[in-house]
Amino acid sequence: MKHQAYKPILITDAPRSQDDQLNSRQKRYVLMMGIRVACLVVGAVLVGVQAPLLWLWLSLCALGMVLIPWLAVLLANDRPPKEEHRLANRFQARGRDETPPMALSAEERPHKVIDAEP
């Protein structure tokens, strides 16, 4: 009989807790929304001081104010993939019988008796 090599379980291999994942996603969302607010403030300041190439800077700020919320929501809802063994049973092809498990065989089924009275 062969002895399998002992593999210690490392704490670094453990997945992050759900609370930890949620906390980091919330921090990322708040940071991205802060950047969006900064784009709005910078755009207002640039209009106030009549900066050169104002059209370029305002279009970049507007692009940031439109794209950042979309990305923030996508990243806030992003979760790490589920472990492989959790999904293994769901996607494997199962052999199916043609008859349901509780169905009666042909010999066990009641036969219909037809009376041939005129």
Side-chain angles (χ1 to χ4, degrees):
M1 177 188 279
K2 291 183 181 179
H3 290 284
Q4 293 182 350
Y6 174 70
K7 284 186 165 181
I9 298 174
L10 300 175
I11 192 66
T12 56
D13 293 341
R16 292 173 52 195
S17 70
Q18 295 219 357
D19 290 335
D20 190 28
Q21 291 174 15
L22 178 65
N23 191 19
S24 67
R25 290 192 317 237
Q26 287 174 340
K27 286 178 184 177
R28 190 177 344 157
Y29 181 81
V30 169
L31 176 70
M32 292 180 85
M33 285 297 128
I35 293 171
R36 178 185 185 206
V37 169
C39 285
L40 178 67
V41 170
V42 167
V45 168
L46 289 174
V47 168
V49 296
Q50 295 293 325
L53 296 173
L54 183 63
W55 61 273
L56 176 66
W57 295 114
L58 286 181
S59 61
L60 288 175
C61 287
L63 186 67
M65 288 188 304
V66 170
L67 288 181
I68 288 176
W70 178 70
L71 287 172
V73 170
L74 284 178
L75 292 175
N77 290 326
D78 187 30
R79 302 180 98 178
K82 291 189 176 183
E83 294 177 16
E84 198 173 305
H85 69 275
R86 284 185 174 172
L87 300 176
N89 294 334
R90 293 187 184 182
F91 296 115
Q92 288 179 352
R94 295 181 184 169
R96 293 199 168 198
D97 298 333
E98 271 106 48
T99 59
M102 298 300 290
L104 299 174
S105 65
E107 295 83 29
E108 295 173 338
R109 286 191 200 131
H111 298 289
K112 197 177 212 181
V113 178
I114 300 174
D115 289 332
E117 290 186 30

